[in-house]
């Protein structure tokens, strides 16, 4: 019987895309997916360490998965991702069941690491720096669950130094993937039936600057839009400071670029933004948003907000609420500040008590709830283009608008992967109920 793998992924879309690549690597080694971790010969946890909570989740999963060895002593436990990178051997000491561990920049070494672990050695390959042959990883396929929408990582690492963030430590400096390598993957995905390409990076808007011959990100958008069969393009995450006019113009100009952008603001207070070292002011951010709204008609914005950053006062927090009121985001991801070991913000004076963080978070969510239901209402009666992604129960289809809203409609499986026009009958904050008008393409 063939060997089986089970992967548990925490964290961001980058981590999910890395897991898709790891699945591809394991497939080339002859592994098959297991239905549950209890059946696996290789359990891999792809970890996140952005806040304390994901750290704890990883440790509790390790505690559970270790039981696999009682049933199947030859089973291997592997840990990848950002917590592995941050803790290294310290994590192995805490959880000696770990057989394999690697960085996000040496996934391509997984085949050798599995060999080492099977020979009875601990295969720990946490590197300080990305290796020379890092790009080898692109030679492996990805295995995805969604046949129509695919992530494509275009830049790894981050050169920004936001004082709260561990990512520059866990993912290294910025390394842009070459245009040819990206286009090659896009072409391959389209051949496989993919219609929506979602470009990924900690800082996609910085793509191309570090290439031997620098290329602006907007040019990449144009080149991808020229690939026959690409119907939609999304990208995450952009940094407000790098959102240059040429990118906004390209978003307005290229029909395939979706009407949605995730633009993390983090805080509305200039004092806090400066302590965070974000490199922009509230005014600058709002000016970028104005420009986006003016050029890209009907754009849906979403954001990340941290509440309770060290020294945040009531007035600072009010500034954040003010941004939320002015921008009117379609979605907000909000987080209580979580001190991460080794980051400057963790050492700052004036840490905010948890009750205050909770209270501010509640007020932020309350404000956003109102805005979200008001925005949802504006969808009622409108006609939207939807990419049909999934068939749920008998006769129910699910897809997304270009503004990234989930839509439910009636129809049969022959519509899967098609772009259809629908009329929205009923709208709630997280779902639009719609009726099929016609198949566009
Ligand atoms: N505490 C709380 N939230 C954080 N984020 C990043 N680091 C921290 C931290 N130390 C949030 C930011 C980022 C998102 C991915 O996670 O809002 O945009
Ligand atoms: Fe988590 Fe950040 Fe790593 Fe993504 S890059 S997995 S959010 S720590």
């Amino acid at each position: 019987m063939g060997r089986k793998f089970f992967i548990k992924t925490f964290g961001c879309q980058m981590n999910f895309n890395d897991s898709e690549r790891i699945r591809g690597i394991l497939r080339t080694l002859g592994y098959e997916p297991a239905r549950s971790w209890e059946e696996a010969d290789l359990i891999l946890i792809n970890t996140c360490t952005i806040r304390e909570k994901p750290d704890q989740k990883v440790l509790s999963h390790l505690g559970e998965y270790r039981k696999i060895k009682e049933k199947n002593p030859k089973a291997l436990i592997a840990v990848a991702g950002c917590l592995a990178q941050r803790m290294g051997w310290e994590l192995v000491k805490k959880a000696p069941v770990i057989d394999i561990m690697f960085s996000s920049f040496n996934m391509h070494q997984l085949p050798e690491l599995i060999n080492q672990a099977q020979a009875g050695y601990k295969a720990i390959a946490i590197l300080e720096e990305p290796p020379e042959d890092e790009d080898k990883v692109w030679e492996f396929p990805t295995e995805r669950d969604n046949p129509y929408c695919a992530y494509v990582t275009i830049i790894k690492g981050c050169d920004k130094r936001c004082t709260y963030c561990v990512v520059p430590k866990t993912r290294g400096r910025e390394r842009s993937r070459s245009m040819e390598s990206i286009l090659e993957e896009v072409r391959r995905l389209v051949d496989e039936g993919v219609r929506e390409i979602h470009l990924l990076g900690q800082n996609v808007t910085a793509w191309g600057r570090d290439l031997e011959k620098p290329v602006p990100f907007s040019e990449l958008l144009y080149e991808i839009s020229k690939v026959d069969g690409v119907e939609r393009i999304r990208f995450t995450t952009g940094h407000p400071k790098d959102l240059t006019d040429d990118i906004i113009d390209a978003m307005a100009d290229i029909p395939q670029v979706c009407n949605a952008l995730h633009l993390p603001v983090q805080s509305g207070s200039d004092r806090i933004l400066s302590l965070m070292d974000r490199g922009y002011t509230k005014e600058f951010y709002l000016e970028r948003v104005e420009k986006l709204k003016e050029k890209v008609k009907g754009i849906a914005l979403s954001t990340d907000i941290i509440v309770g950053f060290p020294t945040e006062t009531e007035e600072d927090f009010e500034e954040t609420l003010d941004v939320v009121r002015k921008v009117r985001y379609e979605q907000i991801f909000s987080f209580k500040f979580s001190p991460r070991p080794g980051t400057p913000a963790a050492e700052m004076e004036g840490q905010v008590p948890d009750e205050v963080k909770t209270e501010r978070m509640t007020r932020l969510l309350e404000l956003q709830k109102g805005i979200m239901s008001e925005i949802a209402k504006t969808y009622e009666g409108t006609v939207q283009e939807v990419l049909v992604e999934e068939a749920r129960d008998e006769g129910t289809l699910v897809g997304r608008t270009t503004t990234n809203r989930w839509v439910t409609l009636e129809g049969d499986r022959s519509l899967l992967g098609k772009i259809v026009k629908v009329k929205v009958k009923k709208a709630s904050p997280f779902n639009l109920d719609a009726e099929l008008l016609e198949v566009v393409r």
Side-chain angles (χ1 to χ4, degrees):
M1 228 175 51
R3 291 174 300 172
K4 297 213 162 106
F5 70 87
F6 179 85
I7 301 182
K8 174 81 191 164
T9 307
F10 294 93
C12 61
Q13 290 151 322
M14 286 285 277
N15 245 24
F16 277 84
N17 187 224
D18 286 350
S19 287
E20 290 173 341
R21 188 80 57 184
I22 293 170
R23 272 159 73 180
I25 296 173
L26 291 173
R27 283 287 197 167
T28 57
L29 296 177
Y31 277 85
E32 306 259 331
R35 272 173 303 175
S36 70
W37 65 268
E38 283 106 332
E39 280 181 11
D41 303 284
L42 174 72
I43 297 179
L44 186 140
I45 314 182
N46 201 358
T47 62
C48 172
T49 187
I50 194 94
R51 288 170 292 274
E52 208 179 331
K53 237 194 212 152
D55 279 14
Q56 290 161 353
K57 280 194 205 155
V58 167
L59 291 168
S60 89
H61 274 76
L62 270 170
E64 181 166 12
Y65 294 159
R66 64 191 290 189
K67 294 185 206 133
I68 190 81
K69 306 238 177 181
E70 291 161 17
K71 276 205 332 210
N72 178 0
K74 284 201 171 148
L76 298 175
I77 295 188
V79 181
C82 294
L83 181 66
Q85 184 69 27
R86 182 171 74 73
M87 290 183 66
W89 275 100
E90 206 191 315
L91 186 60
V92 185
K93 276 188 213 136
K94 263 197 169 156
V97 288
I98 297 172
D99 303 291
I100 298 174
M101 204 154 87
F102 52 99
S103 306
S104 65
F105 20 79
N106 58 345
M107 284 186 280
H108 60 286
Q109 290 172 353
L110 182 56
E112 300 148 44
L113 295 173
I114 291 178
N115 281 341
Q116 271 181 40
Q118 276 169 343
Y121 299 102
K122 281 228 182 287
I124 311 298
I126 297 296
L127 309 181
E128 289 273 318
E129 290 279 327
E132 288 279 313
D133 64 349
E134 180 183 17
D135 285 343
K136 266 202 173 146
V137 74
W138 309 124
E139 291 164 19
F140 289 98
T142 53
E143 186 174 286
R144 294 162 295 106
D145 288 329
N146 185 327
Y148 311 111
C149 308
Y151 290 132
V152 174
T153 295
I154 62 164
I155 179 167
K156 295 178 166 188
C158 185
D159 282 357
K160 300 269 186 296
R161 288 293 172 266
C162 303
T163 53
Y164 50 80
C165 191
V166 283
V167 173
K169 272 213 170 84
T170 63
R171 298 233 171 210
R173 69 192 146 74
E174 273 167 15
R175 287 100 65 211
S176 296
R177 182 173 173 187
S178 75
M179 174 97 91
E180 303 89 278
S181 169
I182 296 168
L183 290 174
E184 211 178 279
E185 181 164 10
V186 169
R187 283 189 211 105
R188 196 174 72 217
L189 289 167
V190 170
D191 283 346
E192 288 170 15
V194 167
R195 314 202 81 198
E196 178 177 304
I197 298 291
H198 193 147
L199 307 175
L200 287 184
Q202 256 72 42
N203 190 8
V204 276
T205 38
W207 179 85
R209 287 182 196 165
D210 60 312
L211 290 174
E212 215 169 299
K213 233 179 92 207
V215 190
F217 174 63
S218 53
E219 201 169 313
L220 178 67
L221 290 176
Y222 278 103
E223 289 306 315
I224 293 176
S225 73
K226 286 184 210 150
V227 176
D228 224 15
V230 172
E231 297 286 352
R232 283 182 166 185
I233 305 170
R234 297 185 194 276
F235 54 89
T236 318
T237 295
H239 192 289
K241 205 168 100 181
D242 298 326
L243 186 69
T244 44
D245 284 348
D246 62 310
I247 298 178
I248 299 181
D249 289 338
M251 289 181 76
D253 188 37
I254 303 172
Q256 292 100 321
V257 174
C258 287
N259 251 0
L261 187 64
H262 185 65
L263 198 62
V265 66
Q266 311 299 0
S267 168
S269 151
D270 287 347
R271 197 181 63 81
I272 297 292
L273 284 170
S274 159
L275 283 177
M276 287 176 165
D277 213 355
R278 288 288 288 171
Y280 56 85
T281 58
K282 177 184 175 191
E283 191 189 345
F284 178 89
Y285 183 89
L286 289 176
E287 186 275 328
R288 290 288 83 188
V289 166
E290 266 312 296
K291 185 122 201 184
L292 272 167
K293 285 185 173 173
E294 176 196 317
K295 297 250 172 171
V296 191
K297 293 284 174 244
I299 190 166
L301 294 167
S302 55
T303 203
D304 291 341
I305 289 175
I306 297 178
V307 297
F309 188 83
T311 75
E312 186 188 68
T313 62
E314 180 57 28
E315 290 74 46
D316 293 317
F317 179 62
E318 284 292 337
E319 294 285 339
T320 301
L321 294 181
D322 187 51
V323 169
V324 172
R325 278 189 209 103
K326 290 202 164 106
V327 178
R328 297 180 64 79
Y329 296 104
E330 299 228 355
Q331 211 174 350
I332 291 183
F333 301 88
S334 49
F335 311 100
K336 288 193 220 172
F337 170 72
S338 169
R340 306 315 290 133
T343 61
E347 308 298 323
M348 285 181 189
E349 304 266 316
Q351 298 287 330
V352 175
D354 194 53
E355 312 84 77
V356 179
K357 290 180 190 164
T358 307
E359 188 262 341
R360 287 183 188 159
M361 181 84 128
T362 311
R363 280 159 62 201
L364 175 61
L365 292 177
E366 199 53 39
L367 170 65
Q368 182 57 15
K369 212 168 111 193
I371 295 174
M372 275 174 80
S373 30
E374 281 167 29
I375 294 181
K377 283 281 165 248
T378 65
Y379 278 87
E380 278 183 2
T382 61
V383 173
Q384 300 284 335
E385 276 197 1
V386 171
L387 169 59
V388 181
E389 293 176 34
E390 213 184 306
R392 292 253 164 100
D393 321 319
E394 208 42 52
T396 304
L397 301 173
V398 183
R400 270 176 304 155
T401 63
T402 150
T403 53
N404 213 13
R405 290 237 161 207
W406 286 101
V407 177
T408 313
L409 66 147
E410 278 177 25
D412 61 67
R413 302 183 66 90
S414 67
L415 294 176
L416 280 170
K418 296 265 191 291
I419 302 230
V420 297
K421 263 205 177 114
V422 301
K423 182 155 187 184
V424 180
K425 293 191 301 194
K426 194 165 172 293
S428 52
F430 294 104
N431 181 57
L432 305 177
D433 270 328
E435 176 181 77
L436 179 69
L437 296 179
E438 59 172 318
V439 178
V440 182
R441 53 193 179 269

